[in-house]
Amino acid sequence: IGANSNDRGKASLPNNDGEYDIVLTDYCMPDTNGEKNAKIAKQAKAGVPVILISGTPPMRPKGELFDQVLRKPFTFPEFKNAIQSLEI
């Protein structure tokens, strides 16, 4: 499931009956942030892993909301390792 805007992304999470295994979100976006998206994702599907991808250090690092944090720029091996480290 992909979304090219925050509104479409937020709307797609609760309406897909858990047909996704992971959520990737940026931190700084025009009308929201990664913390809000992570909360929506975890409310829509309990336990879904969320990877934060951002060039901005998060206010809340890896832990409660984010299962992994990748700082931009990152390499494909770093991305792959972040996904493989999740329990999905």
Side-chain angles (χ1 to χ4, degrees):
I1 300 167
N4 60 359
S5 75
N6 183 56
D7 289 339
R8 290 180 73 181
K10 287 192 301 189
S12 69
L13 288 171
N15 296 320
N16 278 293
D17 297 323
E19 294 181 12
Y20 50 90
D21 296 318
I22 188 170
V23 173
L24 306 173
T25 185
D26 200 343
Y27 190 78
C28 292
M29 292 172 272
D31 56 348
T32 191
N33 64 52
E35 285 189 20
K36 290 178 184 175
N37 286 348
K39 288 176 185 176
I40 291 167
K42 291 188 181 276
Q43 287 173 352
K45 182 178 181 180
V48 68
V50 177
I51 295 180
L52 175 71
I53 299 172
S54 184
T56 305
M59 298 301 291
R60 189 180 309 200
K62 187 173 110 174
E64 181 181 326
L65 288 178
F66 306 118
D67 298 276
Q68 287 292 337
V69 176
L70 286 172
R71 291 287 308 265
K72 294 179 191 175
F74 57 89
T75 65
F76 181 77
E78 290 171 323
F79 181 65
K80 181 180 172 185
N81 288 339
I83 291 174
Q84 289 177 333
S85 73
L86 302 172
E87 295 180 19
I88 52 174

